[in-house]
PDB file of all heavy atoms in Angstrom:
ATOM      1  N   GLU Y1232      -9.814  11.000  14.851  1.00  0.00           N
ATOM      2  CA  GLU Y1232      -9.516  10.075  15.950  1.00  0.00           C
ATOM      3  C   GLU Y1232      -9.292   8.645  15.471  1.00  0.00           C
ATOM      4  O   GLU Y1232      -9.055   7.751  16.276  1.00  0.00           O
ATOM      5  CB  GLU Y1232     -10.666  10.092  16.978  1.00  0.00           C
ATOM      6  CG  GLU Y1232     -10.862  11.459  17.596  1.00  0.00           C
ATOM      7  CD  GLU Y1232     -11.842  11.489  18.752  1.00  0.00           C
ATOM      8  OE1 GLU Y1232     -12.511  10.479  19.000  1.00  0.00           O
ATOM      9  OE2 GLU Y1232     -11.928  12.547  19.399  1.00  0.00           O
ATOM     10  N   SER Y1233      -9.401   8.415  14.148  1.00  0.00           N
ATOM     11  CA  SER Y1233      -9.231   7.050  13.644  1.00  0.00           C
ATOM     12  C   SER Y1233      -8.779   7.103  12.192  1.00  0.00           C
ATOM     13  O   SER Y1233      -8.862   8.152  11.541  1.00  0.00           O
ATOM     14  CB  SER Y1233     -10.562   6.287  13.720  1.00  0.00           C
ATOM     15  OG  SER Y1233     -11.472   6.857  12.794  1.00  0.00           O
ATOM     16  N   ALA Y1234      -8.335   5.951  11.677  1.00  0.00           N
ATOM     17  CA  ALA Y1234      -7.928   5.879  10.275  1.00  0.00           C
ATOM     18  C   ALA Y1234      -9.133   6.091   9.354  1.00  0.00           C
ATOM     19  O   ALA Y1234      -8.999   6.643   8.260  1.00  0.00           O
ATOM     20  CB  ALA Y1234      -7.259   4.538   9.994  1.00  0.00           C
ATOM     21  N   GLU Y1235     -10.319   5.695   9.800  1.00  0.00           N
ATOM     22  CA  GLU Y1235     -11.545   5.956   9.016  1.00  0.00           C
ATOM     23  C   GLU Y1235     -11.766   7.461   8.876  1.00  0.00           C
ATOM     24  O   GLU Y1235     -12.185   7.937   7.823  1.00  0.00           O
ATOM     25  CB  GLU Y1235     -12.781   5.320   9.683  1.00  0.00           C
ATOM     26  CG  GLU Y1235     -12.973   3.849   9.411  1.00  0.00           C
ATOM     27  CD  GLU Y1235     -12.149   2.973  10.340  1.00  0.00           C
ATOM     28  OE1 GLU Y1235     -11.409   3.531  11.200  1.00  0.00           O
ATOM     29  OE2 GLU Y1235     -12.205   1.740  10.195  1.00  0.00           O
ATOM     30  N   ASP Y1236     -11.506   8.180   9.956  1.00  0.00           N
ATOM     31  CA  ASP Y1236     -11.643   9.640   9.893  1.00  0.00           C
ATOM     32  C   ASP Y1236     -10.669  10.216   8.859  1.00  0.00           C
ATOM     33  O   ASP Y1236     -11.000  11.132   8.119  1.00  0.00           O
ATOM     34  CB  ASP Y1236     -11.345  10.281  11.260  1.00  0.00           C
ATOM     35  CG  ASP Y1236     -12.421   9.986  12.306  1.00  0.00           C
ATOM     36  OD1 ASP Y1236     -13.543   9.605  11.921  1.00  0.00           O
ATOM     37  OD2 ASP Y1236     -12.123  10.142  13.502  1.00  0.00           O
ATOM     38  N   VAL Y1237      -9.461   9.681   8.819  1.00  0.00           N
ATOM     39  CA  VAL Y1237      -8.465  10.157   7.853  1.00  0.00           C
ATOM     40  C   VAL Y1237      -8.995   9.941   6.441  1.00  0.00           C
ATOM     41  O   VAL Y1237      -8.947  10.838   5.592  1.00  0.00           O
ATOM     42  CB  VAL Y1237      -7.106   9.435   8.027  1.00  0.00           C
ATOM     43  CG1 VAL Y1237      -6.133   9.845   6.917  1.00  0.00           C
ATOM     44  CG2 VAL Y1237      -6.507   9.726   9.397  1.00  0.00           C
ATOM     45  N   LEU Y1238      -9.530   8.756   6.198  1.00  0.00           N
ATOM     46  CA  LEU Y1238     -10.069   8.453   4.877  1.00  0.00           C
ATOM     47  C   LEU Y1238     -11.188   9.432   4.508  1.00  0.00           C
ATOM     48  O   LEU Y1238     -11.262   9.919   3.374  1.00  0.00           O
ATOM     49  CB  LEU Y1238     -10.578   7.001   4.834  1.00  0.00           C
ATOM     50  CG  LEU Y1238     -11.269   6.565   3.532  1.00  0.00           C
ATOM     51  CD1 LEU Y1238     -10.353   6.777   2.318  1.00  0.00           C
ATOM     52  CD2 LEU Y1238     -11.702   5.102   3.611  1.00  0.00           C
ATOM     53  N   GLU Y1239     -12.035   9.756   5.472  1.00  0.00           N
ATOM     54  CA  GLU Y1239     -13.130  10.698   5.214  1.00  0.00           C
ATOM     55  C   GLU Y1239     -12.573  12.060   4.773  1.00  0.00           C
ATOM     56  O   GLU Y1239     -13.088  12.691   3.850  1.00  0.00           O
ATOM     57  CB  GLU Y1239     -14.000  10.831   6.473  1.00  0.00           C
ATOM     58  CG  GLU Y1239     -15.373  11.408   6.193  1.00  0.00           C
ATOM     59  CD  GLU Y1239     -16.267  11.437   7.435  1.00  0.00           C
ATOM     60  OE1 GLU Y1239     -16.058  10.655   8.378  1.00  0.00           O
ATOM     61  OE2 GLU Y1239     -17.181  12.285   7.454  1.00  0.00           O
ATOM     62  N   TYR Y1240     -11.505  12.483   5.433  1.00  0.00           N
ATOM     63  CA  TYR Y1240     -10.866  13.749   5.054  1.00  0.00           C
ATOM     64  C   TYR Y1240     -10.271  13.679   3.650  1.00  0.00           C
ATOM     65  O   TYR Y1240     -10.375  14.619   2.866  1.00  0.00           O
ATOM     66  CB  TYR Y1240      -9.776  14.135   6.066  1.00  0.00           C
ATOM     67  CG  TYR Y1240     -10.319  15.005   7.182  1.00  0.00           C
ATOM     68  CD1 TYR Y1240     -10.874  14.445   8.330  1.00  0.00           C
ATOM     69  CD2 TYR Y1240     -10.305  16.392   7.076  1.00  0.00           C
ATOM     70  CE1 TYR Y1240     -11.383  15.245   9.341  1.00  0.00           C
ATOM     71  CE2 TYR Y1240     -10.812  17.193   8.082  1.00  0.00           C
ATOM     72  CZ  TYR Y1240     -11.357  16.620   9.211  1.00  0.00           C
ATOM     73  OH  TYR Y1240     -11.868  17.416  10.204  1.00  0.00           O
ATOM     74  N   LEU Y1241      -9.629  12.547   3.329  1.00  0.00           N
ATOM     75  CA  LEU Y1241      -9.050  12.384   1.990  1.00  0.00           C
ATOM     76  C   LEU Y1241     -10.156  12.454   0.946  1.00  0.00           C
ATOM     77  O   LEU Y1241     -10.033  13.141  -0.079  1.00  0.00           O
ATOM     78  CB  LEU Y1241      -8.306  11.047   1.890  1.00  0.00           C
ATOM     79  CG  LEU Y1241      -7.087  10.846   2.794  1.00  0.00           C
ATOM     80  CD1 LEU Y1241      -6.581   9.402   2.692  1.00  0.00           C
ATOM     81  CD2 LEU Y1241      -5.959  11.814   2.463  1.00  0.00           C
ATOM     82  N   LEU Y1242     -11.262  11.768   1.219  1.00  0.00           N
ATOM     83  CA  LEU Y1242     -12.378  11.746   0.265  1.00  0.00           C
ATOM     84  C   LEU Y1242     -12.953  13.153   0.064  1.00  0.00           C
ATOM     85  O   LEU Y1242     -13.335  13.528  -1.042  1.00  0.00           O
ATOM     86  CB  LEU Y1242     -13.473  10.789   0.759  1.00  0.00           C
ATOM     87  CG  LEU Y1242     -13.074   9.305   0.812  1.00  0.00           C
ATOM     88  CD1 LEU Y1242     -14.161   8.484   1.491  1.00  0.00           C
ATOM     89  CD2 LEU Y1242     -12.782   8.756  -0.582  1.00  0.00           C
ATOM     90  N   ALA Y1243     -12.984  13.935   1.149  1.00  0.00           N
ATOM     91  CA  ALA Y1243     -13.514  15.301   1.045  1.00  0.00           C
ATOM     92  C   ALA Y1243     -12.604  16.192   0.211  1.00  0.00           C
ATOM     93  O   ALA Y1243     -13.048  17.200  -0.336  1.00  0.00           O
ATOM     94  CB  ALA Y1243     -13.695  15.892   2.436  1.00  0.00           C
ATOM     95  N   GLY Y1244     -11.313  15.813   0.136  1.00  0.00           N
ATOM     96  CA  GLY Y1244     -10.402  16.620  -0.672  1.00  0.00           C
ATOM     97  C   GLY Y1244      -9.094  16.998  -0.005  1.00  0.00           C
ATOM     98  O   GLY Y1244      -8.273  17.707  -0.592  1.00  0.00           O
ATOM     99  N   ALA Y1245      -8.880  16.522   1.226  1.00  0.00           N
ATOM    100  CA  ALA Y1245      -7.598  16.797   1.880  1.00  0.00           C
ATOM    101  C   ALA Y1245      -6.534  15.867   1.295  1.00  0.00           C
ATOM    102  O   ALA Y1245      -6.823  14.711   0.984  1.00  0.00           O
ATOM    103  CB  ALA Y1245      -7.717  16.578   3.379  1.00  0.00           C
ATOM    104  N   SER Y1246      -5.310  16.385   1.148  1.00  0.00           N
ATOM    105  CA  SER Y1246      -4.201  15.554   0.660  1.00  0.00           C
ATOM    106  C   SER Y1246      -3.391  14.968   1.801  1.00  0.00           C
ATOM    107  O   SER Y1246      -2.611  14.041   1.613  1.00  0.00           O
ATOM    108  CB  SER Y1246      -3.260  16.393  -0.210  1.00  0.00           C
ATOM    109  OG  SER Y1246      -3.936  16.840  -1.352  1.00  0.00           O
TER     110      SER Y1246
END
Side-chain angles (χ1 to χ4, degrees):
Chain Y
E1232 299 188 352
S1233 68
E1235 279 83 359
D1236 290 341
V1237 174
L1238 176 56
E1239 199 176 336
Y1240 269 87
L1241 296 173
L1242 294 172
S1246 296

